[in-house]
Amino acid sequence: MALTLDIRDHENKPAGDLPLVHERPIHLIIVPADLSRLAHLHPEKVARGQYRTTYIFPGGGKYRVYADLKSPDGDPMVVPFTLDVLGDALPGVPMEQELSRGTRVDVEGVRAERISPQRIRSGVPVELGFALTDVRSGGPVRDLKKYLGSMAHMIIISKDGADFLHAHTMDGGMQPEGGDRRGHEMHAGHDVAARAGTTRLNVHTTFPRAGLYRIWMQVLRQGQVLTLPFAVRVKD
């Protein structure tokens, strides 16, 4: 279906051109209420103040939508919506169950492990460290390319959907081993480093509250955007 965003200025007139945020005017994030999957879309301008994209909802139920953008004046904004989609909801794995599986996930030949920190506290700046391994070779993932200007993007949403963070690495490249803005964290991050036989990606952010959060790390490999999901518990 077509999704159209109508952007208005403070005088309720169609807004002018939006500044680019990581190579796009709008990042549109769509997730089901259980946070079991992610769509990261980029609506295109179709008229003054109007941006449009298409999306096929995989199942019915309640969906949360976050429009991440800057106003024409350059102010960062995250505008949340909810949509009720007809049809049967797809089954998902509860986040509490995912926590018991550990901190590792395999997607399309890439194994990603959250290696730091062991404890995450709310309101305290944190550096999230992830180690990536090529499943076939057992060595570093050497062929990542920049995706929307960064080696990795991370979408982070609290279980109740109230808090939304969009973080990313601010690295110049990859270095394998051997050589309201409630809930909104402007794109912040740092580092691509090495760790014994892996490629490491580090991202800085701050979790606003204690509770369960879903993290989706997105990287570009061999022309394909890989989405690597994690569940984390944040303590006070």
Side-chain angles (χ1 to χ4, degrees):
M1 66 177 293
L3 299 173
T4 302
L5 300 179
D6 188 17
I7 313 296
R8 299 268 169 169
D9 63 18
H10 62 282
E11 297 179 346
N12 199 34
K13 297 178 181 179
D17 289 342
L18 300 177
L20 296 184
V21 180
H22 285 273
E23 302 182 357
R24 297 292 188 274
I26 302 175
H27 297 263
L28 194 68
I29 307 301
I30 303 176
V31 297
D34 65 0
L35 304 182
S36 58
R37 49 189 56 84
L38 170 86
H40 182 172
L41 309 175
H42 303 105
E44 297 291 340
K45 183 178 178 180
V46 294
R48 182 178 176 87
Q50 285 195 345
Y51 293 79
R52 184 172 298 155
T53 188
T54 59
Y55 181 62
I56 299 175
F57 289 87
K62 187 177 294 293
Y63 284 79
R64 298 187 177 103
V65 181
Y66 304 86
D68 186 2
L69 67 153
K70 287 185 178 181
S71 72
D73 295 330
D75 296 325
M77 304 171 59
V78 172
V79 183
F81 307 89
T82 58
L83 294 175
D84 290 309
V85 178
L86 297 177
D88 296 330
L90 296 181
V93 178
M95 292 173 65
E96 292 85 352
Q97 183 176 336
E98 288 191 40
L99 284 173
S100 66
R101 294 183 178 180
T103 58
R104 180 180 296 173
V105 62
D106 290 5
V107 174
E108 298 293 335
V110 172
R111 174 166 296 159
E113 181 181 4
R114 187 175 68 82
I115 57 175
S116 64
Q118 291 185 347
R119 180 182 175 89
I120 302 174
R121 298 185 60 187
S122 64
V124 178
V126 63
E127 179 178 286
L128 298 173
F130 296 84
L132 274 61
T133 305
D134 183 280
V135 173
R136 178 175 295 181
S137 70
V141 179
R142 300 181 180 273
D143 54 355
L144 294 184
K145 302 296 183 182
K146 284 192 174 183
Y147 172 51
L148 300 174
S150 181
M151 294 303 296
H153 285 254
M154 291 191 191
I155 305 298
I156 305 172
I157 301 176
S158 60
K159 183 180 178 181
D160 63 5
D163 297 302
F164 173 93
L165 313 173
H166 188 167
H168 62 87
T169 58
M170 292 184 65
D171 46 80
M174 185 174 53
Q175 183 183 356
E177 176 70 10
D180 151 27
R181 300 193 184 108
R182 171 187 172 91
H184 179 57
E185 178 86 359
M186 273 312 293
H187 301 267
H190 188 66
D191 267 351
V192 171
R195 176 182 184 260
T198 68
T199 296
R200 177 166 171 168
L201 300 174
N202 295 338
V203 172
H204 295 170
T205 193
T206 302
F207 291 84
R209 296 183 299 149
L212 282 176
Y213 287 79
R214 165 76 73 205
I215 297 175
W216 292 274
M217 179 167 63
Q218 292 192 302
V219 296
L220 180 63
R221 189 187 195 202
Q222 298 174 0
Q224 180 181 5
V225 177
L226 306 184
T227 301
L228 303 155
F230 299 87
V232 299
R233 186 180 297 278
V234 176
K235 302 286 189 178
D236 283 322

